[in-house]
Amino acid sequence: MKEQIVITIGRSFGSNGREIGERLADALGIDFYDRNLIDMAARKSGLDRAVVGNADEKLLGRFVELTASLDLIQENPNEKIYRAQAEVIRSIVKRGESCVIVGRGADYVLRNRHEVLKVFIYAPLDCRIRTVMERYNFKREEAEKVIRHMDKTRRNYYEYFTDRNWDQKEGKDLLIDSSEFGIQGAVDLIKSAAECKLKRDWDV
């Protein structure tokens, strides 16, 4: 794409959101960012890569530590990691790069950028259970437990830093049920939406 377009993808666990994002980036010939942001954020924050990775889209167990005198609040590692990831995401966009970014609250970080298409991928629980069972060779009970845990983890992370609902329409341009359209169908829908967004006259 000649003009810059940035597509952020939030996703419920087991909805194939990551695969959709990868295929979309490949189809558009643009970069794909997901867990590679961990290394970039680790370098930016100066924190150990393992620490950043463990906090990836989730909150570390202890938010705030107080000194014995309660006079000072030590820097919250969650805030530092989130800020580092946000700065990396903004720097990618500011240098004019088109890309697909999965997760990391990117839709909120880039909420005021007109070249950003904000997408959320979801699917009914039963469909996601089947997907996770096949992907990880889990039993049904195991798959459902993992899905509920991952959705809760992502929801807590997103809502803690954005004060918005993770899987609701607020702040989203496009919500897609991947069980209705399939992976390729979802890719095609997002591509069409991106093309429409690029044609919009932002000076009006």
Side-chain angles (χ1 to χ4, degrees):
M1 282 190 166
K2 294 181 179 179
E3 295 181 69
Q4 184 184 18
I5 185 71
V6 176
I7 302 167
T8 66
I9 297 181
R11 72 280 184 234
S12 55
F13 191 73
S15 66
N16 290 311
R18 188 183 193 281
E19 185 173 352
I20 290 168
E22 281 188 301
R23 289 199 191 184
L24 176 65
D26 186 60
L28 294 175
I30 59 180
D31 286 334
F32 176 75
Y33 291 99
D34 183 22
R35 292 189 64 83
N36 49 344
L37 286 171
I38 295 173
D39 291 325
M40 299 167 75
R43 291 194 295 270
K44 184 77 176 178
S45 66
L47 291 172
D48 184 87
R49 198 269 183 200
V51 173
V52 179
N54 286 336
D56 185 41
E57 290 197 276
K58 53 183 175 286
L59 298 173
L60 295 177
R62 195 173 185 180
F63 293 153
V64 178
E65 295 181 1
L66 301 181
T67 60
S69 64
L70 298 181
D71 289 332
L72 296 173
I73 301 179
Q74 295 181 4
E75 185 171 22
N76 178 355
N78 291 288
E79 299 280 359
K80 188 173 184 179
I81 293 167
Y82 175 80
R83 188 172 65 251
Q85 284 197 138
E87 289 177 2
V88 168
I89 290 168
R90 290 192 193 98
S91 69
I92 290 169
V93 177
K94 285 180 180 178
R95 65 179 178 240
E97 180 179 335
S98 291
C99 61
V100 174
I101 304 173
V102 172
R104 282 87 204 166
D107 62 315
Y108 181 78
V109 172
L110 302 173
R111 61 193 180 280
N112 297 320
R113 305 285 305 205
H114 66 76
E115 65 272 78
V116 179
L117 177 67
K118 299 172 284 294
V119 180
F120 190 88
I121 307 293
Y122 66 98
L125 179 60
D126 195 57
C127 293
R128 296 193 286 141
I129 288 173
R130 291 198 299 270
T131 296
V132 172
M133 287 174 66
E134 293 173 6
R135 183 177 298 164
Y136 300 104
N137 196 29
F138 284 168
K139 295 180 180 178
R140 182 179 180 86
E141 297 77 14
E142 294 173 324
E144 183 171 359
K145 184 177 180 180
V146 168
I147 287 169
R148 293 191 184 281
H149 171 74
M150 290 300 295
D151 280 356
K152 183 177 181 180
T153 297
R154 289 174 178 172
R155 181 186 304 277
N156 290 343
Y157 174 90
Y158 185 88
E159 296 183 0
Y160 176 78
F161 287 112
T162 71
D163 200 30
R164 287 184 177 179
N165 293 325
W166 169 65
D167 57 354
Q168 299 300 311
K169 64 182 180 180
E170 181 183 14
K172 313 294 192 301
D173 299 316
L174 188 65
L175 287 85
I176 299 176
D177 181 346
S178 59
S179 71
E180 290 291 334
F181 299 97
I183 293 174
Q184 188 57 48
V187 170
D188 293 340
L189 280 172
I190 300 170
K191 281 178 62 180
S192 295
E195 290 167 3
C196 288
K197 195 171 184 74
L198 286 174
K199 291 176 182 177
R200 179 171 173 178
D201 187 351
W202 291 102
D203 293 329
V204 173

